[in-house]
Amino acid sequence: MEGSETSNGTTLRNAFGNVLSFFILILIGVLAFSIRLFSVIKYESVIHEFDPYFNYRVTQFLTKNGIYDFWNWFDDRTWYPLGRVIGGTVYPGLTLTAGTLWWLLNSLNIPLSVETICVFTAPIFSAFTSWAAYLLTREVKGAGAGLTAAALIAMVPSYISRSVAGSYDNEAVAIFALVFTFYLYIKTLNTGSLFYATLNALAYFYMVCSWGGYTFIINLIPMHVLMCIVTGRYSSRLYIAYAPLVVLGTLLAALVPVVGFNAVMTSEHFASFLVFIIIHVVAFVHYIKGVLAPKMFKVAVTLVLSIGVIVCCAVIAVLVALVASSPTKGWSGRSLSLLDPTYASKYIPIIASVSEHQPPTWPSYFMDINVLAFLVPAGIIACFSPLSDASSFVILYIVTSVYFSGVMVRLMLVLAPAACITSGIALSEAFEVFTRSIKFQLPGLQGISPVKAEETSSDSTVPLNEVPKTDKSGETLKERPSRKNRKKEKEPVEKPSIKARIEKKLLVLPLEGSVLAIFYLCCWVPSMCMVHCVWAAAEAYSAPSIVLTSHSHDGLHVFDDFREAYAWLSHNTEVDDKVASWWDYGYQTTAMANRTVIVDNNTWNNTHIATVGTAMSSPEKAAWEIFNSLDVKYVLVVFGGLVGYPSDDINKFLWMVRIGGGVFPHIKEPDYLRDGQYRIDNQATPTMLNCLMYKLSYYRFVDTDGKGFDRVRRTEIGKKHFKLTHFEEVFTTHHWMVRIYKLKPPKNRIRGKTKKSKSKSTSTISGKRSGTKKNPWN
Amino acid sequence: MVKPSSSSSSTSQDALALFNSLRSAYSATPTALKIIDLYVGFAVSTAIIQVVYMALVGSFPFNSFLSGVLSCIGTAVLAVCLRIQVNKENKEFKDLAPERAFADFVLCNLVLHLVIMNFLG
């Protein structure tokens, strides 16, 4: 670094370094791609979970019918009888990306199925993400930090969890778009080039296309701009980086149908407009300051600022008036639940019911970002020395994303790149300190004796020398007893390290210590982290959740019940039959069984979902009437009691009650709880034991083992022997995980009247109670 | 440039002096920059006219209004960026050739107006 070689040697070394880092980047890309293939190796090349099935279906439609039909697609197979305008309500980035990939490969005569493309989109884009992270970190702290950050982001478990092969969801491409947009912003900020500003707006457009999380960008960048202005770091580069982005970005965002006029109408975007005005005022002040003599400027300041403040006040007043006039204060429910974490649980049970919208637990931080959690503080400190525009952006990014990840476990995903970037910076800074001290000591080996002397301390420079090491490596592993001392010492260190070049002699560490530390940083921490990441990728995050496996004493069991049930539906029911289930299974039913569903995972109509929830929590007859009014032929329930599959409908049932009760007040949650306890054994309330969900789940369950022992709830069920009057069981999968019931057709009134056989009619009435073999509804 | 509107008796003298010095300082700027300033002023005044028109008539084809106003603002912003970059007094952009700056400006405008045309409806 600071070696005074000939210019020839330096350029050679630079070229060598460039080639080397190029190959390292390729290897990182390969690593990022291949670490996500565990799901394909362990299971099969299949689309995962719920939302990816919808995206897959949309992609199929796109590749089959073309882009124009896609924009106008009205889907009549979901949300029956309402339907859904798909083209205007999806973020099209992911499907367009995969569709383009498919089209490209096919036009190159590489015939891949749409499904294969969809499965591998996420791993490909995670490789792109790691390169984008390299670029971003290089802009902030140089190539070494960039490479470290890229390697970390390639294998951070939090990101793996959303981007394994088959996890074909918006986040797969959105994280790449996020990091790349930030990179271009920083690049524009560093160079002040309009070209990069244009690219930045386009990357932002791609992000808007891909994910609703784009509001994070359009709030974070204004925050950073504001921070720069307030701390007196305004420059004309900042103006070039920000002002075109707002105008172009707003226009581009308004082009995406799902965003549309929201780009100028909702409060999520107002921050950017406000800062847009502020930066113009500041830019104007700067211009005047440059033009005028200092003495005149003082006069001008009072005038210009007072006018600026008046304009700002007027604009703020207009904004406040606009915002106050809208009922939700202009914020969408999801954004509000981010700002006020208790908002969703109070007002919107449908958002609170999703498990990934819950706040995370502490272990999940360790699980998801592992050792990075300890490196992040060191990275933040490294960003402060010296503080530049770019590094202040990274600090802001990590701080806000830590907050957001604390609100919703899903947003851990936004934290992951920030954590990787800061810990990449931390690792490479620490590495640089150690290598520098080794380099300094190695040429003159006589210097060992002063090193020894330093180790035994008593030199005045020792506290200075010791601290960086404890900062960097001590954070990760060693628990130094004197935490307070260390905190105190941190402060004086930062200032010297700004002038590191000058005081490099002071920053020399003991040779053995730095060799050990390098060994520790290069081998031990990464390998420990690596082991964890590979384990997480292989074991924790690769399950496709439509195929389940379990290990028991007699080997591996595979539960393929979902696909079994959907295949049954697609083979044994009419094309236009409607299938009712809880909304979780809507996407899968439409995608795999190709049957019309009532509600699905796009929870756009709360009332409709509440209707289904009410039906599930009503007694059989009321439920039959609700379903019949919706033209439902089949009801599908997921039941895990036989094999111990915990996320089944009985466990989700309280949410159905809550959501249903939110719209239809005759459903009351306390009716289903015994003393506040949710139970299904013989202590359960009669309402619970008679509701449709209970009956459909446990119908004939006692036949399996004679006792009706539920392995999820670990209890015997309360009501064992009962018959269904309005529903009939038509299919139950191998492990009973999916059960499909058919609605019995309504009683034929005319025949019943004309027959006039008293005995029969009485027997039907009694038959309803006693549940004889005779079916009154046939 | 600066509106000497706040004309209280004590500051009016200052404002006048400020105005004079501003005018003399501004007359020293190169003609190219003055042309850009004119362009910016024209774009901004067009935007203001549109906003006034919207306030009078109503914003029914909202996308038309939006694209009209944003195209004006965008043009102004990009021109300001160009002005910043080609200004000789700006030390930050010493190594940026004016031709390069203008090429960037044209590219950015191209993107902007493609988007505008798309959005116009």
Side-chain angles (χ1 to χ4, degrees):
Chain A
M1 278 267 159
E2 69 270 33
S4 55
E5 278 110 1
T6 60
S7 63
N8 197 10
T10 318
T11 49
L12 192 68
R13 211 170 60 173
N14 276 346
F16 182 68
N18 283 341
V19 171
L20 194 65
S21 54
F22 178 73
F23 278 107
I24 291 174
L25 277 179
I26 286 183
L27 285 180
I28 286 173
V30 171
L31 167 72
F33 182 81
S34 49
I35 201 173
R36 286 164 170 83
L37 297 188
F38 276 109
S39 57
V40 173
I41 294 164
K42 288 184 69 176
Y43 297 90
E44 59 187 297
S45 174
V46 69
I47 310 257
H48 289 194
E49 296 197 327
F50 307 107
D51 288 23
Y53 269 96
F54 171 73
N55 297 326
Y56 169 52
R57 184 162 159 259
V58 175
T59 315
Q60 269 183 323
F61 185 90
L62 173 70
T63 50
K64 209 178 286 169
N65 298 21
I67 180 83
Y68 288 106
D69 280 348
F70 167 68
W71 291 121
N72 295 325
W73 184 19
F74 177 80
D75 186 11
D76 57 354
R77 301 197 75 80
T78 70
W79 292 96
Y80 184 85
L82 307 170
R84 178 186 171 196
V85 185
I86 299 275
T89 56
V90 289
Y91 286 98
L94 177 74
T95 33
L96 289 182
T97 308
T100 314
L101 268 178
W102 179 83
W103 174 82
L104 202 71
L105 287 173
N106 266 33
S107 58
L108 292 174
N109 288 325
I110 304 174
L112 285 175
S113 72
V114 179
E115 191 184 6
T116 317
I117 301 284
C118 293
V119 166
F120 290 102
T121 300
I124 290 170
F125 269 80
S126 61
F128 292 165
T129 308
S130 59
W131 294 333
Y134 163 75
L135 292 171
L136 172 58
T137 322
R138 195 187 60 178
E139 283 302 311
V140 179
K141 277 286 174 182
L147 286 177
T148 324
L152 286 174
I153 206 170
M155 53 183 199
V156 62
S158 167
Y159 184 35
I160 286 180
S161 74
R162 289 324 192 93
S163 63
V164 291
S167 169
Y168 178 58
D169 210 347
N170 287 337
E171 290 93 332
V173 297
I175 294 302
F176 160 71
L178 181 85
V179 177
F180 197 61
T181 310
F182 285 155
Y183 156 66
L184 284 170
Y185 172 68
I186 298 288
K187 183 82 182 172
T188 324
L189 198 56
N190 283 347
T191 58
S193 143
L194 258 186
F195 173 68
Y196 284 112
T198 317
L199 288 188
N200 189 15
L202 292 178
Y204 173 67
F205 175 55
Y206 186 60
M207 178 68 192
V208 178
C209 279
S210 314
W211 198 30
Y214 76 91
T215 45
F216 181 60
I217 295 183
I218 205 61
N219 283 303
L220 183 63
I221 289 180
M223 268 168 78
H224 177 243
V225 171
L226 200 62
M227 190 175 85
C228 283
I229 290 173
V230 168
T231 54
R233 307 183 69 91
Y234 171 81
S235 61
S236 36
R237 285 174 287 109
L238 190 70
Y239 180 86
I240 292 173
Y242 184 66
L245 174 70
V246 171
V247 178
L248 266 176
T250 305
L251 271 170
L252 285 164
L255 278 187
V256 182
V258 62
V259 179
F261 293 147
N262 284 346
V264 289
M265 304 284 272
T266 55
S267 298
E268 282 97 339
H269 307 80
F270 283 172
S272 63
F273 302 140
L274 197 64
V275 174
F276 183 71
I277 294 166
I278 291 173
I279 200 173
H280 274 94
V281 172
V282 171
F284 193 66
V285 170
H286 252 253
Y287 172 71
I288 298 290
K289 193 179 184 180
V291 165
L292 284 180
K295 197 189 132 223
M296 274 333 284
F297 178 69
K298 271 193 184 142
V299 182
V301 159
T302 47
L303 291 174
V304 173
L305 269 192
S306 59
I307 292 169
V309 164
I310 290 166
V311 169
C312 274
C313 286
V315 169
I316 289 172
V318 169
L319 285 188
V320 165
L322 272 179
V323 169
S325 64
S326 74
T328 58
K329 306 276 177 259
W331 293 81
S332 69
R334 260 165 237 234
S335 312
L336 267 180
S337 65
L338 276 180
L339 295 180
D340 173 13
T342 57
Y343 178 82
S345 54
K346 265 189 250 164
Y347 301 109
I348 324 173
I350 198 110
I351 290 181
S353 76
V354 180
S355 65
E356 61 186 20
H357 291 168
Q358 307 292 330
T361 53
W362 285 114
S364 72
Y365 274 97
F366 187 74
M367 173 76 192
D368 276 355
I369 56 176
N370 196 249
V371 75
L372 306 186
F374 305 100
L375 287 172
V376 162
I380 292 178
I381 291 168
C383 280
F384 270 109
S385 57
L387 188 68
S388 63
D389 290 347
S391 67
S392 68
F393 180 76
V394 169
I395 293 168
L396 201 63
Y397 178 24
I398 183 87
V399 169
T400 47
S401 61
V402 163
Y403 169 73
F404 285 133
S405 73
V407 176
M408 262 189 206
V409 70
R410 180 156 94 128
L411 293 179
M412 195 77 94
L413 191 63
V414 177
L415 170 66
C420 289
I421 288 162
T422 41
S423 23
I425 291 170
L427 277 176
S428 84
E429 289 282 303
F431 193 71
E432 200 181 311
V433 168
F434 296 136
T435 43
R436 194 170 52 217
S437 58
I438 290 178
K439 227 189 229 170
F440 184 73
Q441 288 170 7
L442 275 187
L445 277 176
Q446 288 90 337
I448 284 179
S449 53
V451 170
K452 285 271 167 67
E454 272 179 325
E455 268 196 320
T456 52
S457 87
S458 84
D459 203 328
S460 66
T461 59
V462 167
L464 279 183
N465 294 345
E466 286 276 303
V467 173
K469 194 182 137 206
T470 47
D471 260 353
K472 305 288 158 39
S473 58
E475 293 275 8
T476 58
L477 179 75
K478 293 155 208 165
E479 283 179 34
R480 292 291 167 122
S482 58
R483 253 197 103 87
K484 271 188 187 163
N485 281 344
R486 201 148 55 93
K487 278 270 164 65
K488 259 187 232 161
E489 281 167 345
K490 268 177 196 170
E491 307 296 320
V493 177
E494 265 137 40
K495 270 172 199 163
S497 60
I498 293 170
K499 308 174 243 166
R501 287 281 152 79
I502 307 156
E503 299 186 30
K504 66 188 177 204
K505 277 195 182 180
L506 292 182
L507 274 170
V508 167
L509 296 171
L511 183 61
E512 292 86 347
S514 40
V515 170
L516 262 179
I518 282 185
F519 176 77
Y520 172 74
L521 279 178
C522 287
C523 305
W524 209 73
V525 170
S527 61
M528 190 180 82
C529 182
M530 188 84 193
V531 166
H532 173 80
C533 295
V534 172
W535 172 82
E539 301 293 333
Y541 291 136
S542 283
S545 96
I546 57 159
V547 187
L548 304 157
T549 56
S550 83
H551 293 274
S552 65
H553 55 276
D554 52 343
L556 182 76
H557 286 278
V558 177
F559 303 116
D560 203 0
D561 286 33
F562 286 107
R563 287 194 289 181
E564 188 187 346
Y566 295 132
W568 185 90
L569 272 178
S570 71
H571 285 112
N572 295 287
T573 59
E574 297 292 321
V575 178
D576 287 330
D577 283 347
K578 282 83 189 171
V579 181
S581 65
W582 190 232
W583 59 264
D584 294 23
Y585 311 103
Y587 280 164
Q588 291 184 347
T589 312
T590 40
M592 284 198 263
N594 192 22
R595 290 296 171 267
T596 309
V597 296
I598 305 297
V599 292
D600 68 20
N601 308 42
N602 173 270
T603 51
W604 66 274
N605 189 329
N606 192 29
T607 314
H608 218 46
I609 290 179
T611 310
V612 175
T614 307
M616 293 296 191
S617 13
S618 302
E620 219 177 315
K621 185 161 186 295
W624 186 90
E625 274 158 11
I626 292 174
F627 279 142
N628 195 44
S629 73
L630 288 171
D631 204 11
V632 168
K633 270 277 189 56
Y634 296 92
V635 180
L636 179 150
V637 289
V638 172
F639 171 63
L642 186 72
V643 290
Y645 170 64
S647 50
D648 64 350
D649 277 344
I650 291 286
N651 272 3
K652 292 170 184 168
F653 181 62
L654 271 189
W655 286 110
M656 302 182 202
V657 173
R658 271 171 213 158
I659 293 168
V663 179
F664 302 102
H666 69 275
I667 303 287
K668 295 184 198 68
E669 190 180 338
D671 292 346
Y672 298 85
L673 302 174
R674 173 74 72 193
D675 303 329
Q677 289 263 321
Y678 178 58
R679 53 201 313 167
I680 45 101
D681 54 10
N682 50 19
Q683 295 293 306
T685 58
T687 323
M688 178 71 212
L689 292 180
N690 284 315
C691 73
L692 183 72
M693 182 48 74
Y694 181 89
K695 284 195 168 176
L696 296 192
S697 289
Y698 292 116
Y699 177 62
R700 289 200 307 115
F701 183 53
V702 73
D703 298 351
T704 53
D705 58 354
K707 285 186 301 190
F709 183 78
D710 188 323
R711 292 196 195 170
V712 177
R713 268 65 58 177
R714 309 211 156 275
T715 174
E716 272 185 40
I717 61 173
K719 192 170 164 188
K720 292 174 186 169
H721 303 278
F722 57 86
K723 293 287 180 206
L724 296 174
T725 53
H726 295 65
F727 295 85
E728 67 178 321
E729 182 186 9
V730 285
F731 187 66
T732 294
T733 55
H734 186 63
H735 301 96
W736 285 52
M737 278 170 56
V738 184
R739 312 194 67 184
I740 301 171
Y741 293 86
K742 190 177 183 179
L743 268 74
K744 284 180 184 166
K747 192 169 77 172
N748 195 336
R749 283 186 203 158
I750 299 163
R751 204 182 69 178
K753 267 184 187 167
T754 50
K755 275 197 174 167
K756 282 180 192 168
S757 55
K758 281 257 160 114
S759 60
K760 274 241 169 145
S761 66
T762 49
S763 83
T764 50
I765 292 163
S766 67
K768 229 199 274 183
R769 285 277 148 258
S770 65
T772 49
K773 203 75 179 169
K774 269 178 206 152
N775 191 344
W777 297 90
N778 274 337
Chain B
M1 286 259 103
V2 154
K3 291 146 253 174
S5 57
S6 57
S7 54
S8 64
S9 58
S10 60
T11 53
S12 64
Q13 203 73 12
D14 285 343
L16 202 67
L18 173 70
F19 186 71
N20 281 333
S21 68
L22 265 180
R23 207 170 59 178
S24 62
Y26 186 70
S27 61
T29 47
T31 324
L33 292 192
K34 278 182 179 168
I35 292 174
I36 295 179
D37 284 341
L38 204 64
Y39 180 61
V40 171
F42 173 68
V44 169
S45 56
T46 317
I48 291 172
I49 290 172
Q50 288 184 37
V51 171
V52 169
Y53 180 79
M54 188 272 286
L56 290 178
V57 180
S59 68
F60 161 57
F62 192 55
N63 48 350
S64 305
F65 162 70
L66 212 60
S67 48
V69 168
L70 282 180
S71 105
C72 291
I73 295 178
T75 316
V77 161
L78 294 183
V80 168
C81 291
L82 178 69
R83 192 191 191 284
I84 289 172
Q85 287 182 338
V86 297
N87 196 350
K88 295 280 187 303
E89 285 163 26
N90 254 336
K91 304 288 181 294
E92 292 174 84
F93 299 102
K94 268 267 156 62
D95 48 347
L96 190 79
E99 290 81 10
R100 167 69 199 268
F102 189 69
D104 284 351
F105 171 71
V106 168
L107 172 81
C108 210
N109 259 310
L110 218 62
V111 173
L112 175 72
H113 286 100
L114 273 177
V115 175
I116 297 279
M117 276 195 281
N118 218 337
F119 191 60
L120 211 52

